[in-house]
Amino acid sequence: MTVSLKSAAFRAERETSWRELEALLAAAQGRGIRALSARQLMRLPLLYRATLSSLSVARTISLDQNLLEYLESLASRAYLVVYGARRGLFEVAADFFARRFPRAVRAHLPHVALGAALLVAGGVTGFMLTQRDPDRFYAFVSPALAQGRGPSSSTESLRKVLYSSGEGQLGDQLKTFAMFLFTHNAGIGLLAFAVGFAGGVVSGWLLFDTGLMMGAFAAVYARHGLSFDLWGWLLPHGVTELTAVVLCGAVGMALGQALIFPGQEERLAALARRGREAAVVALGAVALFFVAGLIEGIFRQRVQDPGVRYAVALASAVLLLAYFSLAGRERSAQGARG
Amino acid sequence: MTAVNLGAEPGRQRALLTPEGVPVRFMVAAGGDRAGAFVLDVLFIVLAVLAFFLSIAFTGMGGDLVGALAFLFWFVATTLYFAAFELSWQGQTPGKRLLKLRVVDAHGGPLTAEAVVARNLMREVELWLPVKVFFGLSFGLALAGGGSWWILGAVIWIFLFSLFPLFNENRLRVGDLVAGTFVIRSPAATLLEDLTAALREKAADYPFTEAQLDVYGAYELQVLESVLRSAGTTGFADQVRTVAEKIRRRVAWEGAVPDDLAFLRAFYAAQRGRLERRMLFGKRRASKHDRS
């Protein structure tokens, strides 16, 4: 043929830049994007855009299937590197706790309020019902959780649980116990979030049920005049843990809401948007469960004085409140300028 | 033979519009690939946990610390493995990397940390919950007499959620729905030599007329390309002979053909030149059945 193909000339002209991009991508995917030098990082977006333009041209002028496929693949891989998640795990974590998590919690304030209301409603219901008929305790609390405690227990044995230093079976296993509590509770919390996918009703029910259980316990202890001691035992870790439970249940309900009432958006789009926000809260709640597990498993077993226990409960409540209401707020325009 | 693969399964192609306004095509990962990557990842998790347990068991630390570390590591491994890798490896876990899979944002935006976390926390309900129930680890269920029913329920649950991707065209699992992501297969294609490059001078040996070059369309051209690119595979010589014979008959070629392969390469170059020139004038001929 005397006239060479336009597509072949096009390829000869641009091939060097494709090869260069290919080498950069191989380096970035093998050793991470941080392995690229400053010059290479400068070249990356340029080469990416050049390849995208080559791809558009090739689609209109070339019938070389291998070339088209190569450019599709090259462009898509470059796209993923150029627009992919770039930040390291630690940066993400720091940003998460400093900004994302508290902001996401504030964004879900109505759901959190509803979740807390459900928990309290469950607690009041459980308390009233159990007070009227102590045998209802068994309807609300599973035997595994009651650990032999119940309406028929004596004041002495009830008190003993609250002030056991954990010397019997747990004496030398406090750290293990703490981690067991953490993994167990975090598992339930994540479940409350994830079942939100089924419409959010189950998430709400899990909150109400937790309330029922606590109410039933409180009623039993109240009959023996041990209310003060019970809350001293429960609240130091309970403030953190119940916050985490409420957060998980709340975002579970938010997820269900997105599914049932998507509003102006398409249903799946609403689910995807709310799901991302909700996951932030659920992940943060896992961190709260971790702290609560430490307090519950180690601190509570060591500290017997009700005064100290209440002080810790109060302090954790104040800290959490301050964190969720203050952390991650945008500085005012003036503050940023000054 | 990578040449016609992409076109072979048009049902699995998706285009994402990049911020530059050029659509980039991806292949949705097949269910089998997803399952394979997942099995590999679970295997890695189990191996990591085993290795960790063995290593701390022999360090001589106190039993309490060992127990605590074991619980913590187990939780981190099962809950955060996927999210941590997908964050730091741009949408890939070790299993996905081995099978060339990748998580991408469904609307072409950057893959955010929230999306990664959301899609992986859903595993809690998709997988870990029924697994725990199956082994009687949750809610003290095994203690209550109805254990077998719960186990049956757990098995059905796992089936429902793991088959869920097979019932939608983008192979989305529930986590993908909640996070707005999907999983693509992005193998690296290699750029092979241009088939027209080697024979520009000798093309005059086979002077095709325009009528002869108007018999076939782009589809046939690319099938021919895939035949020519399969040089070196078994049966290549037979294939070349059959195809050359067929083309000669179809375009009514009357000249002498000393070498089938050279004939095919020349025909490919001439045919591509003709079709591409017509494309420049806005006339794209998809296949031989295209009469426009």
Side-chain angles (χ1 to χ4, degrees):
Chain A
M1 193 166 306
T2 47
V3 190
S4 80
L5 292 180
K6 278 231 165 29
S7 59
F10 160 77
R11 171 177 165 165
E13 199 175 289
R14 308 243 187 149
E15 192 174 335
T16 345
S17 74
W18 304 338
R19 298 282 185 196
E20 188 185 349
L21 179 61
E22 201 181 351
L24 278 188
L25 290 183
Q29 286 176 340
R31 289 171 288 133
I33 193 132
R34 278 153 213 280
L36 299 184
S37 69
R39 209 192 76 83
Q40 286 174 316
L41 275 180
M42 297 266 291
R43 293 284 291 159
L44 187 63
L46 295 179
L47 290 170
Y48 160 67
R49 295 205 174 99
T51 304
L52 269 189
S53 120
S54 296
L55 176 61
S56 316
V57 175
R59 276 180 187 152
T60 53
I61 71 158
S62 178
L63 284 172
D64 186 343
Q65 183 77 16
N66 172 260
L67 176 82
L68 287 170
E69 230 170 73
Y70 171 80
L71 284 177
E72 292 274 3
S73 154
L74 189 66
S76 68
R77 283 162 60 217
Y79 161 78
L80 291 170
V81 171
V82 171
Y83 288 102
R86 182 72 49 74
R87 296 180 306 164
L89 207 52
F90 289 101
E91 269 170 90
V92 172
D95 181 53
F96 179 84
F97 286 110
R99 278 180 289 275
R100 292 245 167 106
F101 178 41
R103 276 183 196 163
V105 169
R106 284 197 292 273
H108 284 94
L109 211 53
H111 301 96
V112 174
L114 177 63
L118 277 172
L119 186 77
V120 170
V124 171
T125 314
F127 186 84
M128 307 249 284
L129 289 178
T130 312
Q131 211 171 31
R132 224 167 280 162
D133 178 3
D135 279 342
R136 288 198 179 123
F137 177 84
Y138 299 108
F140 300 138
V141 184
S142 77
L145 217 95
Q147 291 170 322
R149 289 169 291 179
S152 52
S153 309
S154 69
T155 309
E156 212 29 60
S157 68
L158 286 177
R159 176 185 286 280
K160 225 176 97 187
V161 176
L162 299 187
Y163 291 103
S164 81
S165 61
E167 259 152 36
Q169 80 244 45
L170 284 172
D172 51 351
Q173 298 290 331
L174 289 186
K175 296 193 198 85
T176 309
F177 183 51
M179 285 306 111
F180 166 73
L181 287 171
F182 157 60
T183 53
H184 176 259
N185 295 338
I188 302 223
L190 287 182
L191 181 66
F193 156 69
V195 293
F197 175 72
V201 178
V202 184
S203 303
W205 167 252
L206 278 175
L207 286 179
F208 189 77
D209 188 53
T210 310
L212 278 181
M213 203 175 63
M214 281 175 28
F217 261 115
V220 167
Y221 278 86
R223 285 172 77 86
H224 295 274
L226 288 170
S227 286
F228 178 75
D229 307 80
L230 173 73
W231 292 109
W233 177 80
L234 194 70
L235 286 182
H237 71 279
V239 170
T240 315
E241 190 173 301
L242 291 177
T243 305
V245 168
V246 167
L247 288 181
C248 284
V251 289
M253 290 190 287
L255 210 57
Q257 185 197 2
L259 197 71
I260 300 176
F261 309 108
Q264 299 278 316
E265 290 168 288
E266 220 173 299
R267 203 171 295 270
L268 284 184
L271 186 66
R273 188 174 62 78
R274 302 302 289 266
R276 292 174 182 205
E277 291 168 6
V280 169
V281 177
L283 191 69
V286 169
L288 291 185
F289 278 120
F290 183 75
V291 176
L294 287 183
I295 302 177
E296 184 178 10
I298 299 173
F299 168 83
R300 187 181 69 191
Q301 311 294 331
R302 294 266 187 245
V303 177
Q304 305 292 325
D305 183 55
V308 179
R309 285 180 171 180
Y310 273 101
V312 170
L314 190 65
S316 62
V318 170
L319 274 178
L320 280 174
L321 203 63
Y323 174 60
F324 286 130
S325 50
L326 300 179
R329 287 215 186 267
E330 295 289 351
R331 286 195 201 111
S332 66
Q334 278 186 332
R337 242 180 270 137
Chain B
M1 275 287 287
T2 56
V4 287
N5 276 358
L6 208 107
E9 292 170 282
R12 285 177 49 212
Q13 267 188 42
R14 298 289 175 275
L16 286 185
L17 192 64
T18 63
E20 288 79 13
V22 179
V24 172
R25 273 177 219 142
F26 291 98
M27 297 273 283
V28 172
D33 287 337
R34 299 280 299 269
F38 178 72
V39 168
L40 281 176
D41 281 327
V42 168
L43 191 71
F44 293 145
I45 293 178
V46 170
L47 286 180
V49 168
L50 276 183
F52 183 80
F53 282 7
L54 286 179
S55 64
I56 58 171
F58 288 110
T59 51
M61 276 186 291
D64 183 23
L65 197 56
V66 169
L69 284 176
F71 269 116
L72 190 60
F73 189 82
W74 172 251
F75 180 79
V76 169
T78 53
T79 310
L80 301 181
Y81 168 93
F82 289 96
F85 271 114
E86 283 175 13
L87 269 179
S88 45
W89 283 9
Q90 293 163 1
Q92 290 191 311
T93 59
K96 288 197 178 73
R97 182 172 276 197
L98 284 175
L99 289 174
K100 312 239 186 282
L101 306 185
R102 201 182 269 278
V103 181
V104 295
D105 183 90
H107 301 290
L111 181 66
T112 58
E114 287 95 337
V116 167
V117 168
R119 74 186 296 281
N120 287 305
L121 284 191
M122 286 313 283
R123 268 185 229 281
E124 204 63 38
V125 78
E126 287 180 67
L127 182 75
W128 300 126
L129 169 73
V131 166
K132 279 180 196 161
V133 170
F134 185 82
F135 290 109
L137 296 175
S138 211
F139 309 125
L141 287 176
L143 315 171
S148 333
W149 288 108
W150 283 98
I151 288 176
L152 180 67
V155 171
I156 294 174
W157 181 288
I158 292 180
F159 259 101
L160 278 183
F161 277 97
S162 54
L163 295 184
F164 186 88
L166 298 181
F167 293 101
N168 61 77
E169 56 175 358
N170 284 339
R171 298 281 174 269
L172 304 177
R173 64 178 179 81
V174 171
D176 287 317
L177 282 183
V178 169
T181 53
F182 61 74
V183 178
I184 56 154
R185 197 174 131 74
S186 63
T190 30
L191 182 57
L192 304 171
E193 164 210 26
D194 194 322
L195 287 172
T196 62
L199 64 151
R200 236 163 264 155
E201 319 79 58
K202 291 188 285 176
D205 298 348
Y206 298 98
F208 296 101
T209 64
E210 289 205 341
Q212 283 172 325
L213 295 178
D214 278 339
V215 172
Y216 291 118
Y219 174 78
E220 289 78 22
L221 179 77
Q222 283 164 359
V223 170
L224 177 58
E225 178 189 344
S226 72
V227 169
L228 288 174
R229 287 200 193 283
S230 68
T233 57
T234 50
F236 176 63
D238 285 342
Q239 222 176 356
V240 165
R241 198 169 340 104
T242 328
V243 173
E245 179 62 37
K246 214 168 174 183
I247 290 178
R248 274 200 300 274
R249 228 182 309 124
R250 186 73 204 260
V251 305
W253 174 256
E254 275 148 15
V257 177
D259 177 1
D260 280 337
L261 185 57
F263 169 78
L264 281 190
R265 291 177 74 102
F267 182 74
Y268 172 79
Q271 175 79 80
R272 201 176 110 192
R274 169 83 179 146
L275 287 173
E276 285 181 356
R277 267 196 303 282
R278 292 190 45 150
M279 245 164 80
L280 287 179
F281 292 105
K283 291 173 191 153
R284 181 186 276 272
R285 185 155 194 234
S287 75
K288 63 185 175 188
H289 305 296
D290 189 349
R291 292 273 165 243
S292 61

